[in-house]
Amino acid sequence: AIAGTTTMMSPFKTTGYRSDTVSVGALGVRLSPEVAGQYAALQRALAPYVTPGVTPMFTLDERAGLTYLLGGVPMGSTWTDSGTPERTAGILELACRNGDVDRGRPPVLLFNRTPDPAVTHALGVCGFAFPRDFRALHVAGGPPGIRVYVTATS
């Protein structure tokens, strides 16, 4: 009962059951109205760049849920952390070598920090030179701390 109550009343990285009153997307995730508005702004800003179920996305540091919220396809590992950049880069390179990443479709990148050199190198191995091939996309009212990058040619 303790785990169930704790999970329900204060779930991981949300404001809690009583405050999370707005359903976001088809995922059934409930968030506070403020946070839901931030993610809605992100969805609107990326709509021209995302084909649901097709567009590759890459996130850093426990932000994998953004890929699913936005309808993207994960590139490499969906769970990354700043303490293991070589692991993140290795899995990304392996996904590209195995053909799991469509090199003909530039990804959307969602970062909360500057990517480590190993990750930048792995993106290059996949055929996507960061930052050269990308441009920052301003997301008015979007989630604080999330930097969004789309292909420079779009």
Side-chain angles (χ1 to χ4, degrees), residues 80-133:
T80 65
D81 70 88
S82 61
T84 58
E86 290 79 17
R87 175 192 167 278
T88 298
I91 292 171
L92 179 56
E93 286 185 36
L94 180 63
C96 291
R97 280 196 308 270
N98 287 344
D100 298 328
V101 175
D102 183 350
R103 292 175 187 240
R105 277 197 187 276
V108 170
L109 307 177
L110 300 137
F111 296 154
N112 59 314
R113 61 178 173 83
T114 302
D116 299 283
V119 171
T120 301
H121 174 77
L123 284 167
V125 168
C126 292
F128 310 112
F130 181 83
R132 185 194 72 210
D133 294 346

Side-chain angles (χ1 to χ4, degrees), residues 4-100:
T5 303
T6 301
T7 302
M8 181 149 182
M9 300 311 284
S10 2
F12 182 68
K13 293 195 177 192
T14 68
T15 53
Y17 180 75
R18 290 187 180 92
S19 299
D20 295 342
T21 58
V22 179
S23 183
V24 177
L27 300 177
V29 176
R30 289 171 31 132
L31 300 170
S32 70
E34 178 183 357
V35 173
Q38 293 168 353
Y39 289 124
L42 183 60
Q43 287 174 310
R44 283 190 304 274
L46 280 172
Y49 307 98
V50 174
T51 302
V54 175
T55 302
M57 290 189 184
F58 184 70
T59 63
L60 289 176
D61 303 346
E62 303 171 6
R63 302 290 188 293
L66 290 175
T67 298
Y68 299 109
L69 175 72
L70 298 167
V73 176
M75 282 179 64
S77 178
T78 55
W79 189 263
T80 65
D81 70 88
S82 61
T84 58
E86 290 79 17
R87 175 192 167 278
T88 298
I91 292 171
L92 179 56
E93 286 185 36
L94 180 63
C96 291
R97 280 196 308 270
N98 287 344
D100 298 328

